[in-house]
Amino acid sequence: MKVRCSIEGLDCPHCALELSKKIAAHAEIDAAEINFPMKSLVMEVADDADEEVIVAAAQGIADDFEDGIEIELRD
């Protein structure tokens, strides 16, 4: 399933690419793509995954990557 999020606080497209690689490397996340201009993050995860847990994991990775990045689940 796809988990769609908004992402704020990234400074450049290169940072977005590097962060998406780090998020995709997480055990529960199969793929991650950040669209820098649209400020969106789409993660591909197992169908039975808990979206809140996935978003929290991605936020933790972002916190370690750079201060000020906010990831929120889109409605």
Side-chain angles (χ1 to χ4, degrees):
M1 104 176 130
K2 292 186 186 297
V3 177
R4 299 180 195 304
C5 302
S6 59
I7 185 166
E8 299 284 339
L10 282 170
D11 296 333
C12 68
H14 177 72
C15 295
L17 178 62
E18 292 303 311
L19 180 56
S20 66
K21 288 178 186 177
K22 289 182 180 292
I23 293 171
H26 188 277
E28 295 183 50
I29 301 171
D30 297 327
E33 183 179 340
I34 296 174
N35 184 318
F36 181 72
M38 298 296 292
K39 297 183 179 182
S40 71
L41 164 63
V42 178
M43 296 174 282
E44 187 70 39
V45 299
D47 288 339
D48 61 348
D50 183 327
E51 288 182 336
E52 296 294 330
V53 171
I54 296 298
V55 173
Q59 182 64 61
I61 295 166
D63 290 344
D64 289 342
F65 182 75
E66 185 177 305
D67 289 336
I69 298 173
E70 298 284 331
I71 298 174
E72 293 182 0
L73 192 60
R74 286 194 174 163
D75 294 329

